[in-house]
Amino acid sequence: MPLLKIAKSTVTGLKELCRFHPLQNRRRPRPKAGSSVAFNDGCCNIHQAIQEVLPALLASLEDDERNVVLTLARMWRTLVTKEFVSKDIAAQWAAARLAEEQVVILNKARDAYLTACEEDWQNCQPELERTIKALHQNILANL
């Protein structure tokens, strides 16, 4: 299964990559909202998985803005802390490290995720693009 098909969720994509690793014979728990799961980078190459999934994720931005923003935040946090966390926790962590304009976008995405509401991103396209760029740059800096 090509890794580029695994773009919707970092945790799902990384779980798929690890599933085929010869040393990976046990199931990893999925993080619930507000929780985290630590990983050992030796069991599966998280950096490689993120690097391979990143282009497809960025290409899926249109009509999936919320999930792309939150997944980028989760990728960044995973690279820095070596923990898998829920999207809302990753957004909160990333918001503490980004400019105010980007915090507004992260909070909008997080709130939509937590309330399962759809958001209209048309009125904030420039801010959204700058937030995506900042998250992307932080991911690349940690690969």
Side-chain angles (χ1 to χ4, degrees):
M1 168 185 233
L3 283 175
L4 289 179
K5 289 188 177 181
I6 308 168
K8 285 289 180 185
S9 168
T10 302
V11 172
T12 301
L14 298 175
K15 190 165 94 177
E16 282 297 310
L17 178 69
C18 291
R19 192 176 85 183
F20 297 107
H21 193 281
L23 298 177
Q24 184 63 23
N25 291 324
R26 63 183 186 276
R27 286 193 168 281
R28 293 195 177 277
R30 294 185 66 191
K32 297 185 181 349
S35 67
S36 67
V37 177
F39 70 87
N40 175 352
D41 207 17
C43 85
C44 57
N45 193 334
I46 300 305
H47 292 84
Q48 177 188 349
I50 289 175
Q51 192 169 19
E52 290 184 21
V53 169
L54 195 54
L57 177 66
L58 293 171
S60 70
L61 178 62
E62 189 174 331
D63 295 327
D64 199 20
E65 294 89 348
R66 179 191 78 194
N67 286 320
V68 171
V69 167
L70 295 175
T71 300
L72 290 170
R74 189 160 51 179
M75 286 177 164
W76 180 23
R77 189 184 191 283
T78 298
L79 289 169
V80 172
T81 67
K82 302 211 181 317
E83 291 180 329
F84 295 118
V85 297
S86 60
K87 290 178 178 179
D88 58 313
I89 296 299
Q92 184 178 13
W93 179 90
R97 290 155 179 80
L98 294 175
E100 183 61 34
E101 173 187 78
Q102 295 149 2
V103 171
V104 171
I105 296 298
L106 279 166
N107 287 340
K108 180 176 179 170
R110 187 194 69 226
D111 292 347
Y113 168 73
L114 291 173
T115 62
C117 293
E118 292 299 317
E119 285 291 327
D120 179 15
W121 296 92
Q122 294 305 315
N123 296 333
C124 58
Q125 283 298 309
E127 297 89 349
L128 175 64
E129 289 173 15
R130 287 190 289 273
T131 302
I132 296 289
K133 183 177 180 180
L135 290 166
H136 184 222
Q137 288 174 338
N138 281 295
I139 290 166
L140 293 177
N142 286 281
L143 279 175

